[in-house]
């Protein structure tokens, strides 16, 4: 790690000065979290559970992943999960059509970084949870608001529960300006024409909600059909996608019902092709397999 003012300082000394190593060279908890190969061996709950639900509520259909490792890697992988699973389309600004994603990428990163940097790592048995729904993202972080911070002053006051973690994440470029991540998140959401982030206290932590464009992202039937046609999809595949749009998921058996005169091998190839094209996500295995929109 090379930091301004420490260019000629040995890495171990930089880590000690940043609070990641003790004077006798042993890693601190912050050092383990930031640079340990597998910090979950000592801190099992220091991880992120991410899940994507196709509707507006939790249900039996979902895509789930547990992200562990050092904190910088967790942030990058959680952000990648959201970017891979958010919708892309357009919104109308006056008479102009503007290409957009469901959420500003930088706001998503700020939400994840905020949770990782400020959660209470002393709480065992509770990980950060990031849930994607059709209309919002919820990020749930263990630990009540620290110090003098309240829901009323969270946008104006500053207090860091994990000073070493925050400083090093800033050193590594995950925090653009110390103490102003929430302000930046609010600004980014406003610039995208979206509501301000909603902060709520739960029994043992903080819940942050980002509301996306949702159904305001333009994707009319005509536009969708044109896009499918331009991709060279066959009629069977278009019928499968239309079924999925209505029902939220499709199984191999559902597909067979739609096209009863087609062989199972053809159905399998159709579904594999839709996955390879990035249109569908395959969830489950063998007879429990089903597909949802990516």
């Amino acid at each position: 790690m090379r930091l301004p003012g420490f260019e000629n300082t040995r890495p171990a000394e930089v880590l000690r000065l940043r609070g990641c190593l003790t004077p006798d060279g042993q890693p601190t908890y912050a050092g383990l979290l930031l640079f340990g190969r597998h910090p979950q061996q000592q801190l099992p709950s220091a991880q992120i559970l991410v899940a994507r639900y196709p509707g507006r509520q939790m249900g039996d259909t979902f895509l789930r992943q547990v992200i562990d490792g050092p904190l910088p890697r967790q942030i990058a992988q959680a952000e990648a999960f959201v970017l891979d699973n958010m919708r892309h389309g357009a919104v109308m600004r006056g008479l102009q059509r503007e290409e957009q994603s469901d959420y500003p990428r930088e706001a998503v990163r700020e939400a994840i970084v905020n949770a990782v940097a400020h959660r209470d790592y002393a709480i065992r048995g509770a990980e950060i949870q990031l849930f994607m729904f059709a209309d919002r993202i919820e990020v749930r972080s263990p630990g009540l608001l620290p110090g003098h911070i309240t829901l009323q002053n969270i946008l104006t006051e500053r207090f860091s529960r994990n000073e070493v973690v925050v400083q090093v994440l800033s050193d590594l470029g995950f925090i653009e300006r110390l103490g102003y991540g929430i302000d930046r998140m609010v600004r980014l959401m406003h610039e995208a024409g979206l509501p301000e982030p909603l902060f709520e206290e739960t029994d043992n932590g903080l819940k942050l909600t980002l509301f996306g464009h949702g159904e305001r992202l333009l994707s009319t039937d005509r536009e969708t059909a044109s896009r499918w046609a331009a991709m060279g999809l066959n009629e069977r595949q278009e019928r499968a996608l239309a079924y999925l749009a209505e029902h939220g998921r499709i199984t191999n058996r559902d597909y067979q019902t739609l096209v009863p005169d087609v062989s199972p091998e053809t159905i399998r190839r159709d579904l594999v092709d839709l996955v390879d094209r990035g249109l569908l996500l395959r969830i489950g295995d063998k007879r429990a397999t089903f597909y949802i929109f990516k």
Side-chain angles (χ1 to χ4, degrees):
M1 181 170 62
R2 289 288 182 263
L3 306 178
F6 296 103
E7 291 83 357
N8 299 318
T9 307
R10 292 183 299 111
E13 181 65 10
V14 175
L15 292 174
R16 187 185 67 79
L17 292 171
R18 276 294 186 249
C20 296
L21 291 178
T22 63
D24 60 354
Q26 296 301 309
T28 63
Y29 276 125
L32 284 172
L33 287 167
L34 289 159
F35 300 108
R37 291 184 178 179
H38 194 65
Q40 289 70 35
Q41 291 180 342
Q42 285 76 31
L43 298 164
S45 300
Q47 58 189 17
I48 306 176
L49 169 64
V50 293
R52 183 245 194 186
Y53 296 90
R56 297 187 178 186
Q57 304 296 331
M58 293 183 180
D60 295 333
T61 302
F62 60 89
L63 181 66
R64 178 181 183 274
Q65 181 181 346
V66 176
I67 299 173
D68 56 18
L71 299 187
R73 189 167 75 197
Q74 289 187 38
I75 293 170
Q77 291 185 0
E79 181 183 357
F81 180 91
V82 174
L83 296 181
D84 286 345
N85 288 284
M86 75 165 64
R87 291 175 298 182
H88 302 274
V91 295
M92 296 300 296
R93 293 188 182 277
L95 299 178
Q96 299 297 317
R97 176 187 172 97
E98 182 177 305
E99 298 298 322
Q100 281 197 355
S101 299
D102 226 344
Y103 310 90
R105 174 174 183 165
E106 294 84 358
V108 170
R109 171 178 284 196
E110 291 288 357
I112 295 169
V113 170
N114 183 73
V116 169
H118 298 296
R119 68 152 288 178
D120 188 345
Y121 287 97
I123 296 178
R124 302 298 179 97
E127 71 277 282
I128 294 171
Q129 298 175 336
L130 187 156
F131 297 142
M132 296 183 69
F133 298 95
D135 61 340
R136 69 193 186 281
I137 293 174
E138 294 181 0
V139 182
R140 307 181 185 195
S141 179
L144 300 176
L145 290 169
H148 65 283
I149 303 299
T150 67
L151 293 176
Q152 288 69 42
N153 66 19
I154 195 170
L155 295 179
T156 57
E157 295 294 319
R158 309 284 180 262
F159 188 93
S160 178
R161 175 186 279 123
N162 307 304
E163 292 180 290
V164 173
V165 171
V166 170
Q167 180 61 61
V168 174
L169 289 178
S170 176
D171 294 337
L172 296 175
F174 287 98
I175 297 176
E176 186 172 283
R177 184 181 177 193
L178 285 175
Y180 289 89
I182 294 178
D183 304 67
R184 184 166 182 261
M185 194 191 324
V186 171
R187 175 175 57 80
L188 290 166
M189 295 293 283
H190 176 74
E191 290 174 352
L194 294 168
E196 286 190 4
L198 174 64
F199 292 90
E200 301 172 274
E201 282 193 293
T202 63
D203 289 340
N204 69 336
L206 184 70
K207 182 173 78 170
L208 163 64
T209 303
L210 299 179
F211 296 98
H213 289 290
E215 295 177 355
R216 287 175 295 172
L217 277 181
L218 299 179
S219 181
T220 65
D221 291 341
R222 180 177 298 176
E223 290 172 329
T224 301
S226 298
R227 181 164 60 91
W228 292 346
M231 295 179 70
L233 301 183
N234 61 51
E235 184 180 350
R236 297 185 306 274
Q237 290 173 314
E238 291 184 10
R239 290 180 65 183
L241 293 177
Y243 177 94
L244 184 58
E246 181 178 353
H247 295 88
R249 59 183 281 175
I250 188 170
T251 65
N252 190 284
R253 178 173 294 182
D254 294 329
Y255 202 172
Q256 289 177 338
T257 302
L258 290 174
V259 286
D261 297 329
V262 175
S263 70
E265 177 60 21
T266 298
I267 288 175
R268 186 194 69 80
R269 288 199 303 265
D270 280 354
L271 290 171
V272 169
D273 180 60
L274 291 172
V275 172
D276 290 343
R277 290 173 183 268
L279 292 172
L280 301 187
L281 286 172
R282 174 177 171 167
I283 298 177
D285 191 26
K286 297 182 179 179
R287 293 186 177 182
T289 299
F290 60 91
Y291 300 83
I292 62 175
F293 278 120
K294 185 171 183 179

